[in-house]
Amino acid sequence: MTDIITILGIESSCDDTAAAVVQRINGKALVLSSVVVGQEILHEAYGGVVPEIAARAHAEQLDIAVEKALVQSDIKLEHVDAIAVTSGPGLIGGVVSGVMCAKGLAAGINKPLIGINHLVGHALTPRMTDTISYPYLMLLVSGGHCQFLAVLSETEFDRIGGTIDDAPGEAFDKTAKLLGLGYPGGPLVEKAAKNGDPTRFKFPRPLLDRPDCNMSFSGLKTALRRARDLLVKEKGGISYQDQSDLCASFQIAVADTLAEKANRAIDIFKKTTDSKNFAVAGGVAANTVIKKELENIAQKHNFTLLSPPLKYCTDNAAMIAWAGIERYSAGLVDDMTLAARPRWPIDHKAKPMLGSGKKGAKA
Ligand code: KG4
Ligand code: ZN
């Protein structure tokens, strides 16, 4: 007999309003639709996400995104098995908008509501895209998150390490802002770095002197600002080549740091399992220099580096629907008391990480 689960997923925890319909048919995922309405234009002038603007835009766009996702999937709302929604962590105004929208839909069709931790959505994506089994090692690296996780099941995650301040994507965005490149900064810094000399500026590789897998990226941004200010003082401004060299030197510092910490994370993970899967997700995973360095490390350990297609690596609702499928099939559903949570550690046992960046809580 065919075993089919169909879930509508909703995501609105940062600056993307997203809705998707995903099915699991005999164990395999089928993304029937995945709609993402970005808000870059609204935040561009500020060089980062403005929570109030984001929340208002989510409230305006959520029902439109949901309708589009249903039409594109050719599934009627009343035929989905449940509604999964990001209920944290993230910018609270957006999360509340998504949860309220999902509650309304679930009540309307009298189907279960499933609250999803946004980080769990990212962490389970490789199971949707590559049908891998538990356990596997995961690096979540985006504008709001940076952590190494041992993914043991749909409810069990061991945090092996994470950033104690900024996430790398945030550092890319701030670098772009400091150099007047625009927003979001990651792709612009990567583009500028292509023509740059990564050895010209010796930026720090923070916390590499510590044996653990924790990371810090805020000092890097300060070092870059100092280098820029010195150039301005000495030469009256920065040239196109200076800009490219600064970007290339910054990018390689982030890549080296992530690679060395990945090396240690794999060493720790290997002690607990025979699994050879290392997955990476989040917007920063789009960076080819970073991905190459991670690939080298994976190869060194005889691991496979899995990086889901970019559209499922960055914020999207297909990953939320998929996480909903995993919880639904384990009998884990919520009710109308589901609350929106600004902070929600994925690993309940781990101590809280220090700090919280502009895009919300890190862990
Ligand atoms: O996962 P994502 O779409 O959203 C969250 O932050 O959750 O990631 C967006 C982040 C931004 O900070 C952006 O600058 C960064 O990912 N990013 C990149 C690249 N493309 C996007 N960072 C470095 N290199 C890239 N090519
Ligand atoms: Zn995310």
Side-chain angles (χ1 to χ4, degrees):
M1 219 183 70
T2 322
D3 167 32
I4 303 183
I5 300 174
T6 309
I7 302 245
L8 168 68
I10 295 174
E11 155 64 37
S12 56
S13 64
C14 189
D15 58 350
D16 292 301
T17 314
V21 179
V22 178
Q23 281 186 330
R24 194 179 75 184
I25 306 173
N26 291 336
K28 283 208 130 192
L30 185 64
V31 179
L32 296 177
S33 63
S34 180
V35 174
V36 180
V37 186
Q39 302 178 352
E40 273 96 1
I41 287 176
L42 300 177
H43 303 292
E44 200 178 6
Y46 306 94
V49 180
V50 182
E52 289 76 12
I53 295 177
R56 209 170 310 136
H58 285 308
E60 282 167 9
Q61 291 295 329
L62 270 163
D63 54 343
I64 300 170
V66 166
E67 198 171 344
K68 260 196 196 161
L70 288 167
V71 169
Q72 285 177 16
S73 67
D74 214 10
I75 296 275
K76 289 207 162 44
L77 179 62
E78 53 273 29
H79 292 155
V80 304
D81 292 304
I83 315 267
V85 61
T86 301
S87 51
L91 299 173
I92 195 64
V95 180
V96 168
S97 300
V99 169
M100 295 316 284
C101 172
K103 281 185 179 176
L105 293 170
I109 56 170
N110 201 20
K111 292 279 172 71
L113 177 70
I114 307 173
I116 301 294
N117 180 315
H118 178 85
L119 303 173
V120 171
H122 279 301
L124 299 185
T125 302
R127 285 178 49 79
M128 175 176 85
T129 55
D130 293 84
T131 329
I132 56 170
S133 44
Y134 299 115
Y136 52 92
L137 179 66
M138 178 94 209
L139 168 62
L140 291 186
V141 63
S142 71
H145 335 289
C146 183
Q147 44 190 310
F148 290 102
L149 295 167
V151 182
L152 309 176
S153 76
E154 69 278 356
T155 53
E156 291 167 282
F157 307 87
D158 275 341
R159 196 183 64 214
I160 295 176
T163 181
I164 60 164
D165 43 51
D166 289 355
E170 210 171 343
F172 269 93
D173 293 337
K174 285 174 180 168
T175 294
K177 198 174 174 186
L178 281 169
L179 299 177
L181 287 170
Y183 176 82
L188 299 165
V189 170
E190 182 175 8
K191 193 164 167 235
K194 284 209 166 79
N195 308 312
D197 172 6
T199 62
R200 177 164 162 206
F201 299 95
K202 305 278 176 272
F203 290 137
R205 273 69 170 153
L207 302 191
L208 283 196
D209 53 329
R210 295 223 212 134
D212 60 29
C213 296
N214 286 343
M215 293 158 281
S216 160
F217 295 99
S218 68
L220 202 47
K221 162 199 74 199
T222 313
L224 184 120
R225 184 192 289 123
R226 275 208 205 99
R228 179 204 65 175
D229 290 350
L230 196 66
L231 286 170
V232 172
K233 205 172 143 200
E234 283 170 357
K235 308 198 311 188
I238 57 170
S239 67
Y240 176 76
Q241 193 58 52
D242 292 335
Q243 195 184 49
S244 301
D245 293 347
L246 284 165
C247 286
S249 303
F250 162 82
Q251 180 174 262
I252 200 70
V254 176
D256 285 352
T257 306
L258 287 171
E260 180 44 35
K261 293 291 178 168
N263 188 26
R264 292 175 200 181
I266 293 178
D267 269 337
I268 294 169
F269 181 68
K270 277 201 307 203
K271 289 190 186 128
T272 62
T273 168
D274 291 333
S275 161
K276 297 254 180 244
N277 284 326
F278 175 32
V280 57
V284 181
N287 187 289
T288 45
V289 172
I290 292 174
K291 206 143 76 182
K292 187 85 211 83
E293 285 221 27
L294 293 173
E295 242 154 34
N296 291 342
I297 293 296
Q299 232 171 36
K300 180 184 138 190
H301 289 273
N302 215 6
F303 268 54
T304 306
L305 183 76
L306 300 147
S307 59
L310 198 59
K311 62 183 172 185
Y312 301 132
C313 257
T314 53
D315 285 353
N316 68 90
M319 69 179 189
I320 302 304
W322 174 260
I325 287 174
E326 296 238 20
R327 286 186 76 83
Y328 182 83
S329 57
L332 300 167
V333 298
D334 296 283
D335 58 25
M336 290 297 156
T337 61
L338 177 70
R341 300 173 63 172
R343 264 186 183 269
W344 187 359
I346 188 169
D347 177 354
H348 311 281
K349 307 170 302 298
K351 282 195 212 123
M353 307 288 295
L354 290 173
S356 167
K358 198 167 179 187
K359 284 195 172 184
K362 297 293 180 309

